[in-house]
C-alpha cells in the first residue's frame, strides 16, 4: 500500500510540474500575444483616426478653396506654394494627430482660372515629425492626395 | 484503488483542457490582430479610392473647360510629374497619384464605346490599352438634345441608344473609378492598368452647363448698326427663345421691318426689342412686344478671334486660291484671290488654270497638289470631314473660293435698263460705308442751292424730315448731320440721287467704276457652261458629335450648296455663301448646322438659277452661330416680284458686332448692319451653339451638379 501510494504521489508531482510548465509557457505566450493584439488594435484605431483627420482636413481645404469665401479662394491660388496650406493638431482620445496640407501645381498647361493643384496631406502621431517609426508600432504616418480645380463656385 | 486511479487522471485532463483553452485564446489573438489592421486598410481603400475618383472628376472638368469637346483623347502621357501622371489615349484616361508617404491611388475614365469607329462616342476604336469597366462617360456639352448613357458589356457598347437614363443637353456625364491597393503601387504609362489587387469606388456625376444665356446676353440678334428686314406680302418676322425665355433683339441703330411693296411689315412675337431710340419701325402689338432703348454701355456678346476654335495651321491644309468647276466635271485651280481671279478671267475667259481633278480622280495638277485627309473631292462635290486650314500660297493668295465657271451670282442679274435705278442705292450704300470714297466723290460738287443763304443745303432729310442730313456750305465742301449714322446717311444719299443730284448716266458710270453694278459673284464669261452653284456641293461631314472647321486667313467665297452638321467656317476676311439652303416645303427637315464667323462681312444668298434666266431664292434653316465684325446680309429676295422669295430661319445667335470685339464696343455705327431680304424671318435664340465654336469654355459658364452616384 505504502509503495503504491509513493508511486501515485511521484507521478502526481511530475505531472504537476509538467502541467505548471505548460501553463506557464502558454500563459506567457498569451500575455505576449495580448500585448501584440492590443498594440495592433491601437495602431488600427490610430490609423482610422488619422484617416478621418486626413479626410476631414482635405475636404475642408477643398471646400475652402472651391467655394466660399471668395477671399479664401483667391488667397489660395495667389499664394506661394512653399508654405503649407494648413497645419495643426487635432486630439482624439489621448492621441494628438498632427497634420500638414501641402499644395503643388499640376502642369496641365491651362491658364487661370482653370488651373489644377494637387493637395497632399500628411498626418502623424506619437512622434515629433512625419516619417518616424516606433518599435512594435511601425510607421506612424498616414497621407493622402486629392486634386482641386481653380474655378469658383463650380464645385463637383 | 479504482477510484484513486481515476482521480490521478483528472489532473492531466484538466491540464489538457486548459491547454486547449489557451490555444484558442492564442488563435483568436492571432486572427483578430491582423483583421483589425485589415479593417483599417479597408477603410483606407474606401477613403483613398473616393478621393481618387473625385480627383478624376476634377481633372475631367478641368479638361472640358479647356476644350469643350474633350473626350479623353489627349494622345499619351499628358502629365508627367514625380507624384502625378496622366495618360489619355483614344477615349481612356488613367491618372496615377502618389501621396507623400509613397502610397498610391489611381483614377480611370472611359469614353470609348469600342463599337466601331465613331458610333455614338465620336471616337475610333482604340488600338492601345483599354479600361475594362462597363461605365462609360458622355460629353454632351455641344449637343442640343439629350443623349442616352449606355453601359458596356463584354468590353463594348453594342447599342449606344440603349440605356437606363439620359444625360441632358449641354451636360456632362462623368463616371470615374478611383482605385487603391497593391495593384496601383507602380504605374507604367505604356500599360497603365493596375497590376494586382485593388479596391476602390466608382463615382458618377452629371453636370449641366449653366449661365449660357448670360454668355450670349440673351438676344437672338445683335446689330451695331440697323437691323432691317424686308418680307414678303403679309409675312411675319418672328422671334422666340429656346426653353420659353423672353426673346430679345438688340440694335444700336434702328429696327425696321417692311414688306416688299414698301408697306410696314409685322413683328409678331412676344419679347423685347432694344433700339437706339426705343422705337420699332414695324407693325406690332404693344401688348406683346416691349420696345426699349438700347443702353449705351450694354455689351454685345464679345467673341474674339483668339477665343474662336479655328483649324490648326499645322494640321490638315488646302492651298488658298480659286477652285472652279467646269461643266465636264474638271476642277481648275488658280493661285489667285477672288478679286484678282475675276478680273483675270474676264480678260482671259478660256484660261484653264491648273486642272487638279479630272475623270473623277484627284490629279493634283502639274504642281502635284495633294489632298489632306480631311478633304475628299468627287465630281462637283467636296466633303470636309475634319478641320481644314486654307494655307496662303507663296504668291500671297489667302482667299478660298469654290465656284462654277460662270460664277455664282448672289442676286439675279439686273436688266440693263434697270441699272441706273439700281446704281443709286448701290452707290449710296457704298459711299455711306466708305468715307474716303465719299469725300472724293463729293469733291467739287455743288448742292442744289435750296438751302438758306450761305448754306447750299440739299433738302435731303429722309430720317428727320426737318433738318438736312447732307448739305453743302460751299463748292466741294459737304457736311453730314451725322457721318457715323450709316443708315441715315445712306438714305440721304439715295434721296439726293433720286432728286437728280447727278445724272443717271454719271450715277451708273460711277457705280460701275466701283464695281457696284451687276450681281456680285456673276462672272458672265460667255463660255457656255451651265453649271451653277445649285449643281455643286460642299458637305461638312465630321464624325458624329465632333466638328469640322474650315479656316482661312483671307476671304471665303463658296458658290455651292452648303450642307453639314457640326460645321464651322471662320474667315479673317469676308465670308460669302451662295447656293445654300433648300426648298423647305419639299424637305422640311433640311437644316444646315453651320457656324459662321468672319472678320469682314457675311453674305448669304440662296439664289437658285433655274435656267433660261429664271431664278428663285431657296429657303434656309440655319442652326448655329453667325458672327461678323462687319455686316450681315441675307439675300433671299429682291425687288423683282416675279422671283420667288426664300424663308430665312436661324436657330442660334446672330451678331453683327461692327468691329473687333477685342476692342469693346465700336466707336460708331458705321458697321454692324443686319439686312435680311426674305419671304419671312424666324429667329430662335439658342446660345448653346456658341459652345461649339469656342476654343475654351468661358469663365462665367458654370457646371451645376444634378446627379451624384456612388456605385461601390
Amino acid at each position: 500500500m505504502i509503495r503504491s501510494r509513493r508511486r501515485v504521489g511521484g507521478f502526481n508531482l511530475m505531472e504537476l510540474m509538467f502541467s505548471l510548465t505548460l501553463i506557464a509557457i502558454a500563459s506567457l505566450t498569451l500575455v505576449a500575444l495580448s500585448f501584440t493584439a492590443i498594440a495592433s488594435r491601437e495602431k488600427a484605431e490610430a490609423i482610422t483616426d488619422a484617416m478621418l483627420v486626413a479626410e476631414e482636413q482635405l475636404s475642408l481645404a477643398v471646400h475652402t478653396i472651391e467655394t466660399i469665401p471668395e477671399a479664401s479662394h483667391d488667397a489660395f491660388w495667389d499664394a506661394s506654394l512653399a508654405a503649407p496650406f494648413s497645419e495643426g493638431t487635432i486630439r482624439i482620445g489621448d492621441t494628438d494627430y498632427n497634420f500638414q496640407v501641402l499644395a503643388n501645381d499640376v502642369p496641365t498647361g491651362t491658364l487661370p482660372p482653370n488651373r489644377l493643384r494637387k493637395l497632399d496631406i500628411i498626418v502623424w502621431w506619437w512622434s515629433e515629425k512625419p516619417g518616424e517609426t516606433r518599435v512594435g508600432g511601425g510607421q506612424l504616418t498616414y497621407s493622402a492626395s486629392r486634386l482641386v480645380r481653380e474655378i469658383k463656385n463650380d464645385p463637383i | 484503488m479504482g477510484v484513486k486511479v481515476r482521480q490521478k487522471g483528472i489532473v492531466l485532463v484538466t491540464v489538457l483542457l486548459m491547454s486547449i483553452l489557451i490555444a484558442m485564446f492564442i488563435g483568436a489573438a492571432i486572427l483578430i490582430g491582423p483583421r483589425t489592421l485589415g479593417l483599417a486598410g479597408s477603410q483606407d481603400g474606401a477613403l483613398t479610392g473616393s478621393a481618387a475618383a473625385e480627383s478624376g472628376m476634377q481633372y475631367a472638368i478641368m479638361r472640358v473647360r479647356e476644350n469643350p469637346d474633350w473626350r479623353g483623347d489627349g494622345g499619351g502621357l499628358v502629365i508627367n510629374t514625380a507624384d502625378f501622371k496622366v495618360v489619355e489615349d483614344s477615349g481612356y484616361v488613367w491618372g496615377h497619384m502618389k501621396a507623400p508617404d509613397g502610397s498610391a491611388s489611381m483614377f480611370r475614365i472611359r469614353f470609348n464605346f469600342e463599337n466601331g469607329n465613331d458610333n455614338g462616342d465620336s471616337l475610333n476604336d482604340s488600338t492601345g490599352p483599354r479600361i475594362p469597366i462597363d461605365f462609360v462617360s458622355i460629353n454632351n456639352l455641344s449637343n442640343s438634345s439629350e443623349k442616352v448613357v449606355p453601359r458596356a458589356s463584354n468590353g463594348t457598347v453594342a447599342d449606344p441608344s440603349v440605356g437606363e437614363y439620359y444625360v441632358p443637353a449641354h451636360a456632362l456625364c462623368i463616371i470615374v473609378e478611383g482605385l487603391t491597393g497593391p495593384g496601383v503601387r507602380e504605374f507604367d504609362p505604356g500599360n497603365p492598368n493596375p497590376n494586382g489587387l485593388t479596391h476602390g469606388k466608382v463615382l458618377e456625376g452629371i453636370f449641366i452647363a449653366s449661365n449660357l444665356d448670360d454668355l450670349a446676353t440673351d438676344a437672338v440678334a445683335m446689330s451695331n448698326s440697323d437691323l432691317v428686314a424686308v418680307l414678303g406680302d403679309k409675312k411675319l418676322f418672328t422671334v422666340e427663345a429656346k426653353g420659353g425665355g423672353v426673346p430679345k433683339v438688340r440694335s444700336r441703330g434702328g429696327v425696321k421691318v417692311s414688306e416688299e411693296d414698301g408697306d410696314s411689315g409685322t413683328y409678331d412675337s412676344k419679347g423685347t426689342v432694344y433700339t437706339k431710340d426705343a422705337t420699332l419701325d414695324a407693325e406690332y402689338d404693344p401688348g406683346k412686344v416691349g420696345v426699349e432703348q438700347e443702353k449705351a454701355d450694354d455689351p454685345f456678346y464679345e467673341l474674339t478671334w483668339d477665343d474662336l476654335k479655328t483649324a490648326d495651321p499645322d494640321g490638315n491644309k488646302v492651298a488658298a486660291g480659286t477652285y472652279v468647276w467646269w461643266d465636264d466635271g474638271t476642277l481648275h485651280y488658280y493661285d489667285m484671290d477672288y478679286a484678282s481671279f475675276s478680273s483675270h478671267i474676264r480678260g482671259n475667259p478660256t484660261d484653264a488654270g491648273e486642272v487638279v481633278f479630272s475623270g473623277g480622280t484627284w490629279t493634283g495638277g502639274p504642281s502635284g497638289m495633294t489632298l489632306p485627309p480631311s478633304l475628299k473631292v468627287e465630281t462637283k462635290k467636296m466633303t470636309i470631314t475634319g478641320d481644314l486650314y486654307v494655307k496662303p500660297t507663296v504668291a500671297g493668295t489667302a482667299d478660298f473660293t469654290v465656284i462654277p465657271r460662270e460664277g455664282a451670282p448672289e442676286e439675279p442679274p439686273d436688266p440693263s435698263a434697270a441699272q441706273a435705278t439700281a446704281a443709286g442705292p448701290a452707290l449710296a450704300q457704298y459711299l455711306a460705308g466708305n468715307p474716303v470714297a465719299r469725300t472724293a466723290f463729293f469733291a467739287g460738287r455743288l448742292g442744289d442751292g435750296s438751302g438758306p443763304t450761305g448754306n447750299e443745303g440739299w433738302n435731303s432729310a429722309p430720317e428727320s424730315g426737318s433738318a438736312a442730313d447732307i448739305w453743302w456750305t460751299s463748292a466741294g465742301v459737304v457736311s453730314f448731320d451725322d457721318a457715323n449714322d450709316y443708315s441715315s446717311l445712306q438714305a440721304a444719299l439715295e434721296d439726293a440721287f433720286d432728286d437728280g443730284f447727278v445724272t443717271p448716266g454719271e450715277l451708273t458710270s460711277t457705280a460701275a467704276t466701283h464695281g457696284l453694278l451687276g450681281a456680285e459673284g456673276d462672272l458672265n464669261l460667255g463660255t457656255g457652261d451651265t453649271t451653277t452653284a445649285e449643281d455643286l456641293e460642299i458637305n461638312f461631314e465630321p464624325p458624329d458629335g465632333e466638328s469640322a472647321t474650315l479656316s482661312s486667313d483671307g476671304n471665303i467665297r463658296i458658290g455651292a450648296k452648303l450642307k453639314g452638321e457640326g460645321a464651322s467656317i471662320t474667315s479673317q476676311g469676308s465670308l460669302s455663301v451662295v447656293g445654300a439652303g433648300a426648298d423647305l416645303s419639299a424637305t422640311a427637315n433640311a437644316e444646315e448646322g453651320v457656324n459662321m464667323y468672319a472678320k469682314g462681312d457675311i453674305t448669304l444668298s440662296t439664289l437658285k438659277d433655274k435656267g433660261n434666266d429664271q431664278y428663285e431664292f431657296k429657303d434656309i434653316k440655319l442652326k448655329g452661330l453667325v458672327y461678323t465684325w462687319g455686316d450681315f446680309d441675307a439675300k433671299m429676295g429682291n425687288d423683282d416680284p416675279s422671283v420667288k422669295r426664300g424663308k430665312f430661319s436661324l436657330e442660334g445667335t446672330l451678331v453683327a458686332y461692327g468691329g473687333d470685339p477685342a476692342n469693346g464696343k465700336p466707336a460708331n455705327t458705321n458697321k454692324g448692319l443686319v439686312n435680311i431680304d426674305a419671304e419671312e424671318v424666324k429667329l430662335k435664340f439658342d446660345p448653346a451653339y456658341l459652345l461649339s465654336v469656342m476654343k475654351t469654355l468661358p469663365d462665367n459658364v458654370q457646371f451645376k451638379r444634378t446627379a451624384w452616384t456612388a456605385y461601390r
Side-chain angles (χ1 to χ4, degrees), chain B residues 202-227:
Chain B
V202 174
L203 296 179
E204 175 179 17
I206 293 181
F207 307 91
I208 296 182
S210 62
N211 296 349
L212 292 178
D213 288 357
D214 292 348
L215 194 67
T217 60
D218 202 14
V220 66
M222 285 172 253
S223 66
N224 185 57
S225 185
D226 291 348
L227 189 153

Side-chain angles (χ1 to χ4, degrees), chain B residues 122-133:
Chain B
S122 306
L123 293 162
N124 293 338
D125 283 355
S126 170
T127 55
R130 301 178 177 186
I131 298 175
I133 56 174

Side-chain angles (χ1 to χ4, degrees), chain A residues 69-96:
Chain A
E70 192 164 312
S72 302
H73 172 279
D74 294 346
F76 173 75
W77 291 100
D78 294 342
S80 159
L81 299 178
F85 171 74
S86 64
E87 55 189 339
T89 301
I90 291 175
R91 169 162 282 227
I92 300 176
D94 294 329
T95 306
D96 286 335

Side-chain angles (χ1 to χ4, degrees), chain B residues 135-414:
Chain B
F135 299 100
V136 289
S137 300
I138 305 284
N139 181 347
N140 203 38
L141 206 54
S142 302
N143 200 345
S144 290
S145 55
E146 62 189 14
K147 195 169 183 179
V148 168
V149 180
R151 291 279 187 266
S153 176
N154 299 319
T156 182
V157 174
D159 186 350
S161 65
V162 175
E164 296 289 321
Y165 56 100
Y166 293 86
V167 56
H170 315 304
L172 305 168
C173 173
I174 305 291
I175 307 179
V176 188
E177 183 184 40
L179 296 170
T180 185
V184 301
R185 252 178 222 146
E186 301 303 326
F187 185 69
D188 175 7
N191 183 21
N193 282 310
N195 183 21
L197 185 68
T198 60
H199 40 262
K201 232 177 170 106
V202 174
L203 296 179
E204 175 179 17
I206 293 181
F207 307 91
I208 296 182
S210 62
N211 296 349
L212 292 178
D213 288 357
D214 292 348
L215 194 67
T217 60
D218 202 14
V220 66
M222 285 172 253
S223 66
N224 185 57
S225 185
D226 291 348
L227 189 153
V228 178
V230 179
L231 311 178
D233 189 32
K234 309 295 182 198
K235 300 298 179 183
L236 306 175
F237 186 107
T238 56
V239 179
E240 59 182 310
K242 189 167 187 177
V246 177
K248 296 174 187 170
V249 168
R250 295 176 54 192
S251 171
R252 293 191 178 121
V255 173
K256 179 178 182 180
V257 181
S258 60
E259 295 181 355
E260 56 184 325
D261 58 6
D263 291 346
S264 196
T266 305
Y267 187 101
D268 183 45
S269 291
K270 287 183 179 174
T272 311
V273 176
Y274 298 85
T275 65
K276 69 174 181 182
D277 54 5
T279 61
L280 171 59
D281 189 354
E283 297 290 330
Y284 66 97
D285 179 356
K288 288 168 64 178
V289 182
V291 183
E292 298 180 19
Q293 186 166 30
E294 173 70 18
K295 291 177 186 165
D297 295 332
D298 275 359
F300 282 178
Y301 175 59
E302 293 172 353
L303 180 61
T304 66
W305 182 262
D306 289 340
D307 291 335
L308 190 69
K309 194 190 296 175
T310 56
D312 182 359
D314 296 326
N316 290 320
K317 292 181 271 288
V318 63
T322 302
Y323 295 80
V324 182
W325 285 105
W326 287 20
D327 269 2
D328 59 5
T330 54
L331 181 62
H332 300 247
Y333 170 73
Y334 302 82
D335 186 0
M336 299 174 195
D337 289 335
Y338 178 73
S340 303
F341 168 77
S342 65
S343 168
H344 165 80
I345 206 69
R346 280 188 172 111
N348 307 275
T350 57
D351 179 10
E354 192 175 343
V355 180
V356 292
F357 181 92
S358 69
T361 309
W362 179 265
T363 62
S367 62
M369 275 172 71
T370 55
L371 274 181
S374 59
L375 176 63
K376 191 169 77 175
V377 179
E378 300 162 89
T379 302
K380 298 187 180 179
K381 180 179 177 183
M382 291 175 164
T383 304
I384 298 170
T385 57
D387 289 355
L388 187 62
Y389 172 69
V390 177
K391 185 182 179 187
T393 67
V394 176
T397 304
D399 288 3
F400 181 71
T401 304
V402 180
I403 50 170
R405 192 178 184 188
E406 286 289 318
E410 295 171 3
E411 296 173 274
D414 281 328

